[in-house]
Amino acid sequence: MGHTPASLCVTRPPHTGFPPAGGTDLGGSPPRYQSGNSPYLGARFDSCPSTVRVYYGGYAGTGLFHYTYYVMQYTKPGELGWKTINLTIGEHRLLTFREASNGDWNFKVKACFDATVQGGGQRAFCSPWSPQIYLNAR
C-alpha cells in the first residue's frame, strides 16, 4: 500500500525542460542547452518519487578566468520571485528537489569567480546566463 503503480510514473518528454527563448541543444537525456559561453542546463520531472532534477555544468573558464562556483536562479510553483543559490563548479553536476511541487519551474545558471581572490580588481566576474529552462512538473 502507498505505492504508485509504475505505469502511472512519468519520466519521459514532455516532462523534460526546454528553453522557450532558444539555445543550443547539446543532446543528452534530458536535453541540455547552452547559450554561447554559458554553462549547460537541463531539467527533468520524475513523478515517482516526485523529484525535479537539474543537470548543469561544463564551463570552467578560459585564459586567466577560472570559474570557482555556479550561481543558479530558479522559480518554484506557488512561490513568487527568483530564488538564488551558489553551487560547486564542475563538469557534470546534478541538483535534486525532492517532494517537488507540481506546476511550472524555471531555471538558469551562470559560472562565476571572485576576482579579489584571483588578483582582479572586481568583486566577481561571471559567464553569460544559460538559456532559461522551463519545466512543467505535472
Side-chain angles (χ1 to χ4, degrees), residues 2-86:
H3 288 71
T4 303
S7 62
L8 299 178
C9 297
V10 178
T11 59
R12 63 191 183 292
H15 299 283
T16 57
F18 68 93
T24 303
D25 184 344
L26 302 177
S29 180
R32 277 100 163 147
Y33 299 91
Q34 186 177 31
S35 181
N37 290 331
S38 77
Y40 67 78
L41 181 63
R44 168 184 312 209
F45 172 64
D46 295 323
S47 66
C48 301
S50 189
T51 58
V52 168
R53 290 186 173 94
V54 184
Y55 301 81
Y56 62 97
Y59 198 73
T62 59
L64 299 176
F65 303 119
H66 297 284
Y67 296 107
T68 56
Y69 63 98
Y70 292 110
V71 175
M72 183 176 289
Q73 290 190 328
Y74 65 95
T75 64
K76 293 174 70 170
E79 296 183 16
L80 296 177
W82 288 93
K83 311 265 186 283
T84 303
I85 54 175
N86 290 351

Side-chain angles (χ1 to χ4, degrees), residues 81-129:
W82 288 93
K83 311 265 186 283
T84 303
I85 54 175
N86 290 351
L87 301 163
T88 305
I89 200 83
E91 178 62 28
H92 303 287
R93 309 298 299 169
L94 173 64
L95 176 64
T96 302
F97 293 88
R98 299 187 192 289
E99 298 179 18
S101 303
N102 286 351
D104 298 332
W105 293 71
N106 290 279
F107 302 94
K108 58 185 177 178
V109 67
K110 63 183 175 180
C112 299
F113 75 87
D114 184 347
T116 58
V117 172
Q118 295 189 29
Q122 303 174 1
R123 252 185 68 198
F125 179 82
C126 298
S127 73
W129 284 104

